[in-house]
């Protein structure tokens, strides 16, 4: 794929994320009423998720008909050129009226993350990255933090009920014992964007789906951060462990996360 083709897709994805965010915001404000349903313990989906994903799919398929689309709500097929979409990451926050959620769109070409876009409608912040071109928040280039001590670090540690609870609690204990301030804001994609912007020093979660992780991982890398290899051995659809951090704390954090 040529640089011009990547650039065209990146500009389109940025516009699309804002359009999708505007629709999601109408649901969030209850300008369009909706009912949330539970897919499992603390795992919600709503008409807003489906409507936003349908909008994103429609726009992508019209603009790039030969590209494949993989979305959280409607699935899809893998392809050489692949869009990976989370229409609303942080749905549990969204349905409770908490302003910490986002739209995440990534583009993967021949297995390589090339574009990552995360839009936060609540603050009207657009985080985006193109491989080799840095990471940005709107028109401002962003960088991971210079943090080099765990006992000065603010780290996001994601948890959902499909993760083994005892492992999560043991990890949180190790982090706290190392002096880390640990938060879970409930939207992994947005926390990854905030790592890229230097607001969090790191984010980790024992398993993330590709629609949650792909855009944010590219943002962190392009912002100068380090990441644990992703996806895991099961391939893209299976997802894998996420560790993304400022370089100065990555090794120490990686050891804590993988300790038993």
């Amino acid at each position: 794929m040529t640089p011009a083709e990547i650039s065209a897709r990146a500009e389109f994805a940025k516009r699309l994320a804002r359009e999708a965010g505007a629709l999601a915001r109408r649901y969030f404000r209850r300008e369009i009423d909706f009912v949330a349903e539970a897919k499992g313990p603390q795992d919600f989906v709503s008409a807003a998720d489906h409507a936003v994903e349908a909008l994103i799919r429609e726009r992508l398929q019209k603009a790039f008909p030969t590209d494949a689309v993989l979305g959280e709500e409607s699935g899809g097929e893998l392809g050489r050129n692949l869009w990976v979409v989370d229409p609303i990451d942080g749905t549990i926050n969204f349905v409770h009226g908490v302003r910490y959620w986002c739209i995440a769109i990534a583009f993967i070409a021949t297995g390589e993350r090339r574009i990552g876009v995360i839009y936060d409608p609540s603050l009207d912040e657009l985080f985006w990255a193109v491989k080799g071109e840095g990471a940005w928040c709107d028109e401002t280039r962003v960088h991971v933090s210079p943090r080099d001590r765990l006992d000065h670090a603010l780290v996001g540690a994601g948890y959902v009920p499909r993760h083994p609870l005892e492992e999560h609690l043991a990890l949180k204990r190790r982090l706290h014992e190392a002096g880390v301030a640990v938060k879970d804001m409930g939207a992994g994609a947005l926390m990854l964007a905030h790592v890229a912007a230097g607001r969090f020093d790191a984010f980790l979660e024992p398993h993330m789906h590709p629609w949650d992780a792909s855009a944010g991982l590219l943002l962190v890398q392009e912002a100068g951060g380090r990441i644990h290899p992703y996806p895991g051995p099961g391939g893209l659809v299976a997802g894998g462990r996420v560790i993304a951090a400022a370089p100065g704390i990555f090794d120490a954090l990686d050891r804590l996360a993988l300790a038993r």
Side-chain angles (χ1 to χ4, degrees):
M1 182 162 287
T2 67
E5 289 172 317
I6 291 293
S7 180
R9 282 167 170 78
E11 292 304 311
F12 186 88
K14 289 190 282 183
R15 293 192 301 271
L16 179 56
R18 287 191 180 277
E19 181 183 7
L23 175 59
R25 191 163 47 229
R26 292 183 65 200
Y27 280 95
F28 184 78
R29 293 173 175 171
R30 296 288 177 166
E31 295 171 13
I32 306 173
D33 201 16
F34 69 93
V35 175
E37 301 174 357
K39 295 189 286 187
Q42 300 298 333
D43 186 9
F44 289 88
V45 66
S46 72
D49 296 83
H50 289 294
V52 174
E53 183 166 317
L55 170 69
I56 293 172
R57 282 180 177 275
E58 179 184 352
R59 298 289 191 266
L60 289 174
Q61 289 169 349
K62 182 176 180 180
F64 309 106
T66 62
D67 292 354
V69 181
L70 176 67
E72 178 177 12
E73 307 306 338
S74 302
E77 300 291 331
L78 299 183
R80 181 179 177 86
N81 296 325
L82 175 68
W83 294 94
V84 185
V85 174
D86 192 339
I88 300 175
D89 182 54
T91 299
I92 190 169
N93 289 344
F94 183 92
V95 302
H96 283 83
V98 176
R99 295 179 179 273
Y100 199 92
W101 51 275
C102 67
I103 285 78
I105 303 173
F107 180 69
I108 299 172
T110 59
E112 182 178 46
R113 291 183 291 273
R114 301 295 299 275
I115 298 166
V117 177
I118 293 174
Y119 179 54
D120 176 359
S122 298
L123 294 180
D124 189 26
E125 289 187 320
L126 184 74
F127 301 90
W128 59 277
V130 176
K131 185 173 176 60
E133 298 182 18
W136 303 77
C137 179
D138 297 317
E139 302 305 315
T140 301
R141 190 159 186 172
V142 296
H143 304 275
V144 296
S145 82
R147 196 74 59 215
D148 60 3
R149 292 178 53 168
L150 286 181
D151 62 347
H152 290 181
L154 175 62
V155 172
Y159 172 77
V160 295
R162 71 174 184 273
H163 303 152
L165 178 58
E166 292 306 317
E167 291 183 15
H168 175 70
L169 294 176
L171 171 59
K172 286 192 72 175
R173 181 182 182 87
R174 293 194 297 273
L175 291 170
H176 283 301
E177 287 175 343
V180 176
V182 184
K183 305 291 183 183
D184 182 4
M185 305 298 288
L190 190 53
M191 284 188 278
L192 283 168
H194 289 167
V195 173
R199 300 173 188 177
F200 280 92
D201 301 303
F203 175 75
L204 48 89
E205 190 163 335
H207 175 269
M208 290 181 77
H209 296 298
W211 41 81
D212 297 317
S214 298
L217 289 174
L218 180 62
L219 275 161
V220 171
Q221 287 183 297
E222 288 296 314
R226 292 177 60 190
I227 69 169
H228 188 75
Y230 184 94
L236 183 66
V237 174
R241 179 183 294 275
V242 167
I243 304 172
I249 62 170
F250 180 87
D251 288 332
L253 191 65
D254 193 49
R255 286 193 295 271
L256 285 177
L258 300 179
R260 288 292 185 268

